[in-house]
Amino acid sequence: LGHFRLGVTIKAKCNSVERNRVKRALRESFRHVKEKLGSYDYNVVVSGARKLDFEYARRLRLAVLEEFSHEREMARFKRAR
């Protein structure tokens, strides 16, 4: 394909506003680091035990940016696949 694909699965019982807020935060985070992702498929699963409030969406966005921000970390991640 030449680009990454992102799948988001949310198991938490919540309303559509909360669910879409988390999905938007994830998509935005992945778009910011898209040059580093390659042409892999990514699937993010959000546990059913989570409360999907604004703070959770913010922490999730920061975690994605932190995880994919360093080249050394990306090399480790790609080797694990």
Side-chain angles (χ1 to χ4, degrees):
L1 286 174
H3 59 86
F4 75 95
R5 295 189 304 174
L6 176 64
V8 180
T9 304
I10 298 181
K11 295 181 177 183
K13 299 287 184 192
C14 59
N15 62 33
S16 60
V17 173
E18 295 166 337
R19 188 172 51 249
N20 289 332
R21 180 185 302 135
V22 170
K23 286 183 177 184
R24 279 193 308 271
L26 279 169
R27 285 194 301 263
E28 177 186 348
S29 300
F30 273 81
R31 274 195 294 266
H32 283 331
V33 293
K34 66 182 175 185
E35 310 82 38
K36 300 176 183 177
L37 296 178
S39 59
Y40 295 103
D41 293 340
Y42 297 90
N43 189 26
V44 179
V45 180
V46 178
S47 169
R50 296 288 182 189
K51 182 178 181 213
L52 301 182
D53 56 0
F54 182 77
E55 178 62 24
Y56 180 72
R58 187 185 69 79
R59 285 185 292 136
L60 190 59
R61 184 171 52 244
L62 292 175
V64 168
L65 291 173
E66 182 180 317
E67 181 69 28
F68 293 110
S69 65
H70 300 91
E71 290 297 325
R72 191 179 81 202
E73 292 290 323
M74 283 302 298
R76 177 186 57 83
F77 179 73
K78 287 182 179 178
R79 278 195 310 270
R81 295 182 60 130

